[in-house]
Amino acid sequence: KEENSSEVVQPFLMGCGTKEPKITQLCLAAIQRLMSHEVVSEAAAGNIINMLWQLMENGLEELKLLQTVLVLLTTNTVVHDQVLSKAIVLCFRLHFTKDNITNNTAAATVRQVVTVVFERMVAEDERFKGLIAVSSCPMSTSPFPCVSLQDLCQLVNADAPYWLVGMTEMTRTFGLELLESVLNDFPRVFLQHQEFSFLLKERVCPLVIKLFSPNIKFRQGNSSAASPAPVEKPYFPICMRLLRVVSVLIKHFYSLLVTECEIFLSLLVKFLDGEKPQWLRAVAVESVHRLCVQPHLLRSFCLSYDMKQHSTKVFRDIVNALGSFIQSLFIVLNTGNPAATNTSTGAGGQGGSLTTQAAFEYRGTWIPLMTVSVQGSAKATYLEMLDKVEPPSIPEGYAMSVAFSALLDLVRGITSMIERALAKEEEEAVHREANPDQNTQLDVSLSGAHLVWEEMVSACWCGLLAALSLLLDASTDETATESILKAELTVAALCGRLGLVTPRDAFITAICKASLPPHYALTVLSSNTANLNKAYSIQGQSVQIISSSSESHQQVVAVGQPLSVQPQGTVVLTAKNIQCMRTLLNLAHCHGVVLGTSWQLVLATLQHLVWILGLKPGVGGALKPGRAVEGPSTVLTTAVMTDLPVISNILSRLFESSQYLDDVSLHHLINALCSLSLEAVEMAYGNNKEPSLFAVAKLLETGLVNMNRIEILWRPLTGHLLEVCQHPNARMREWGAEAVTSLIKAGLAYKHNPPLAQNQRLQLLLLNPLKELSNVLHADIRQKQLESVLQILQSQGDSLGPGWPLVLGVIGAIRNDQGESLIRTAFQCLQLVVTDFLPTMPCAGLQIVVDVAGSFGLQNQELNISLTSIGLLWNISDYFFQRGEAITQELEREEAALQKQAQEKGEPLNRPFHPAPPFDCLWLCLYAKLGQLCVDPRPAVRKSAGQTMFSTIAAHGTLLQQPTWHIVVWKVLFHLLDCVRKSSTTADKEKIESGGGNILIHHSRDTAEKQWAETWVLTLAGVARIFNTRRYLLQQLGDYFKAWEVLLDHIQSAALSKNSEVSLAALKSFQEILQIATPVKDSAMPTDALAAMGVPPVLIDPLSAPGPGRPLLRSDSMLERLTSYNGAELQAPPPGEESALEDAALWWSAWNTWYRTGTDSTRPPSGGTGTDRPSFVPSQPFLTALVQIFPALYQHIKTGFSMEDLRKLGVILHGAVSIPISSDASPFILPSYTEAVLTSLQEAVLTALDVLQKAICVGPENLQVMYPAIFEQLLLFVEFSCKPPQYGKMETKHVANAKYNQIQLFTPAEWVALNYVPFAERSLEVVVDLYHKTACHKAVINEKVLQNIIKTLRMPLGLKYGCPSESTWKLAVSSLLKVLSTGLPVARQHASSRKFDTMWPELANAFKDFLFTKSTPPDNVSIQEFQKNEAIDVEVVQLISTEILPFAIFIPKDFVGQIMAMLNKGSIHSQSSSFTEAEVDVRMREEFSKVCFETLLQFSFSNKVSTPQEGYISRMALSVLLKRSQDVLRRYVDDERLSGRCPLPRQQVTEIIFVLKAISTLMDSLKKTQPENVDGTTWAQVIALYPTLVECITCSSSEVSSALKEAMGPFKDFMQPPVSRVQNGES
């Protein structure tokens, strides 16, 4: 059909030739229809083209023409060569018509046509592919593409085309567009066909370079005058199209045009200059962006130029150009607006306009940021403006936005390319390790690749860093900032992976600087990043929340204090800083492995940020938002508050991830933290501001997560933290300690492999820093250390094993200068050890435990702890006791090992108490510690230690072997006694006001001396108890007697101590070792009274209990156990023998001690008058105890007890009784004055004499010589009733006064003599009793005992009412009567021997003194009393009348004379002058006078008058009496007359009454007597009285009258006429 197509087409062509529009249209449509059915031949096609040409020249149906051409060319390939050329020219011609639509359509058609041509060529290539190698591809059937390309270049260059004949005009712009589309669409044609490549090199590139020239030469703003020749101005459409062509050339034909590309790229870089027009720079930037998204191209640049010598460093230049371009945008102020609206120029101010548009702002230049392209693609705007002829106005910020995208894409491309390659490389490395036999050629290529990458990074990093830092600084948009940071981060990480340290550090520094406030960065991160030893640190904040005040993106989110030695003001953190901080965290987190030395930068920055944000470390080192610390210096907005937990979380994760680092990186991290910490430490010196704890906290976190390989970092880690613990700043060292202790605890708790139990070295390594902490002097650190010890004990106590000595060392490293809270904590640890862990520790540790417990006892900060630690020692001793066998075995094994070592070294074994077996040594250490505590300065400690020590020895002493007891007695017990005695005697007597705080001290403990006294008491008692309970054991030691003597010496010195408590207790101990039960009498003493005197009641009961509530273990099973256990047979004593101390030497030694003690204590003070206070007066309980010891002691020594000993005893007893008591104690000892009770002492004294007397009584004859001595002693005591003994020259108050509290307590203590009356009276009773028994004994008679008794009694009898106690003289009388009733018969019996001669005068004096006493009865005596007293007098007279006068023959004459004189005197006894009238009749002792009279008369007028002399005496007496009466009466009558109405003086009235009474008595006597016995003269005198009596009747006194009546009554018996008268005178 094609052959005929010409004919078919012809009519339509003719139709077109009519130029009728309608016909033409129809024809063209028909032709198109034909063409689309492909029925047109080549010839027909040629005709069609010619016809179309004519239409074109006539300007008809232009659009239809183009349509037709297009259809013709696209449907088949019949058109070629000249015809094709003509068709193309036709399209070109149409492109330049007047009609716009036609122009555009024509342009499109041209493009399509050119494309069709090239597509045909590509199709041909495909056809030939299979047959021939591509490289020698033949020229295609149609040479058109090549020629057309050449013509294009000609046309663009404004030369005539070779092939496209008929072109009338052509524009460069259109030519360049076509050129670009061909190059862009058909790169393979050019690459595969040499002629095309040739054309590219020879025609296209020179053309491009030529066309560029105006752009290069042009400088914006040069005036034409300045340039000599007018410079062609750069023309936007051409320039833009040129750049498009260049982009295509570089993209597709780089490998062909290496040199040309170097030129193009250099030109491109030049176009970015600031002097170029704005639009030119914009399109240049777009072109650069296109390059940037092709990393492989960039890599080629680097390989081809940068890495060749003598070549332009193109890649570097591109990057640097981009950078300087960005910088120039900020600098050229006149192009961008000066910062719009309320911009503050200060960096970090709330910059930018209030719009929310993303923008950059730097030094007042504000450049908005637009979204120019999707990430990773370079979508240009101005390179696409093909229709614009004039350069467009570039919106502000467009160039910046493109440059920004270019930078980011560049970084992204390069890094992802290299990262991929590295990843692949790593895979291959793994693969190679798996198959090591493969070839190693790879390495060569790899190292080459590495070189390229390193070169690329080295070339671009400076430019990148400059640009990115600037942009980061200027960015106000979060997304932009994020992108910039991401770029910096990826480059830094990449540099790290490639091992490029400088760029890595530079990028990290940039991020760090951006994280910190603006001017802050300069101080911390100097540009010289390698040398980061700057001083900086973190200063304290307080946090306050404010809500964000501005929408601006440069929003301030936190204000805090800078971290520096002297913080000046505050610093501001913006949201961007926080963003940067997150990037920094991200970097450290994800790329920690490659950071190496730049950890220091990262951590330093984080430290500052954490500081400014006020994050404080919490448990385990994690940072938490802190609370306000000092002032409102830190302000956080709500925005950042929500971020803080996230940040702190990331921070923690960052350090947790350190567990994935390799050892080297981990060391880098640790070193960085340590040096950071050192700086913080340096800064914190010399000020008490809050220090930066960041580094310390993070060291802790890092250590905790790397527990599995702790050994490799333990030493540097703990070494540094220990230094921190020494720091003067409290917060700093507190955290150091927190970190060290947490690490140790975690280390011990971690399940290591192998476990710690099998890895002693690691365990000691972990515990060592704990020990090191003991060297720190700060209390808070020690507190922390001890708290952690407590926790370690609670959690790992069972598994410490060999670590025990170290742990115990820590607990025991206390000193007195540490506070009590420390000591308390340490002590808690010790308590825990003693209660829970003694069984788990090696026995070698037990001695350390004892030492440590002892040291707690000795510390003086906290008394309760000292006391409790003594309790712990008791618990430890119990533990020893229970686990004795096990401990012994283990210790002996150890001992053997040590012994062996010592022998090998040739040294003696160095162990305390060495020769003793090791288990005994443990006990001895315990005793030694307790011994030290027994002499502690604090009384409570001494007391407690003493009790514990003696209890322990009592309860567990049986475990000790016999030789060890020797050490206990001499080295422990006696040594202790010596120390206590020394301390007590030198103790201070100053009064202690109070016991610290408001504790009152009892007066019995208010001086150091008194407190030491208590200790002495306890110690002595304890030793005595041991001597008592362990006597059978001690007696087997060789030097028991010596020990006994030493003990007695201690008892004696204590007994003679000036402290009553000590001395009394010494006697109790004396009693105990003599095994005397305390006499029951003592229980009568009121115990509270003793307590008030500070005598603990315990001492009064026998000291029998062996320990606090522990009975002595004496059961058989126990004995058996001990016996088998000690190996040596302990002789258990037979029951009865234990109490008997048979050894005479011991008893006499005890007697000597008793005697010395008694003598010294009762010897009265020698010098001084009563004003000087006596140095010391022994107390009553002491003397009582002393005397009570004697009877029991006497039982054992009576066989040798001599007169001399008795004398010694007497001196002591006398001395003891005569000792007064101090007035403040008197109420407790003195019975109230009215009761007649003996004090215990007096009773004891009498008991002692009683014991002696009974012993004499039953003893042999030769003992009886002792009787008189006993009498003598007792009589001395009797004298006390009237004459209390003197104690030296002391003045004593009479006891009566002391009763009525006339003593103020603050006057010096006065001494009160005891009420000796009851004692004297009891002694008197004893005397009477004893005399009754012994009156007839030879010794008693010879020694004139009776005389002595009477002599002694004379004193109370004589004093009578003058006696201190009324009972005394009454008892004296009754005793005298009793003694005489026994003694007089004996005396009469022995009258001839004259042994009693001296007694009679004594007796006469005694009677005389008593009956006519000089003392007057007290005024308040009642009538009944008086009558009773009179009855006693009467009794005495009766005794005279019955026992003496009847036996006058045996009695010396002068004695009888004395008696008669006495009776005579008695019958006219004078009255006392103080009677009241009513009592006169009673008070006259009438009864007595009567009895005297009667006796007198009885013996005067008796018919048995033995001698005339006697009668004479009585007669004399009578006449004297009568004469006196007569005188008295006369005087009375006279005075009565004289006085008139005035009454007479009282005495005179009384006297007259008495006389009248005497007369009536006489009359009665005369009446009873036989008349013949009465002498005549007597009668005469009696009757002579009568008239005088009558005279008295006139008296006025009624009393006198009644007496007169009684006197005159009896006269009636004589009123009878005389017998003789009556007889004679009867009238």
Side-chain angles (χ1 to χ4, degrees), residues 104 228 233 318 371 410 470 538 624 635 699 865 893 987 1100 1207 1363 1464 1502 1520 1587:
N104 289 348
K233 245 183 146 181
I318 293 174
T371 313
L410 174 77
L470 176 63
I538 303 178
K624 296 279 180 293
V635 186
L699 277 169
I865 284 181
R893 277 201 303 280
I1100 292 175
R1207 198 189 55 68
C1363 278
N1464 180 17
S1502 69
V1520 169

Side-chain angles (χ1 to χ4, degrees), residues 1535-1536 1538-1545 1596:
D1535 289 350
E1536 170 96 298
L1538 287 171
S1539 66
R1541 291 186 176 279
C1542 292
L1544 285 171
S1596 53

Side-chain angles (χ1 to χ4, degrees), residues 67 70-71 166 269 392 544 582 620 685 797 891 1107 1123 1145 1324 1432 1457 1550:
Q67 203 175 2
L70 193 56
V71 173
V269 167
Q544 161 189 341
R582 294 183 116 172
Y685 272 111
L891 285 172
T1123 333
L1324 183 50
I1432 294 174
T1550 318

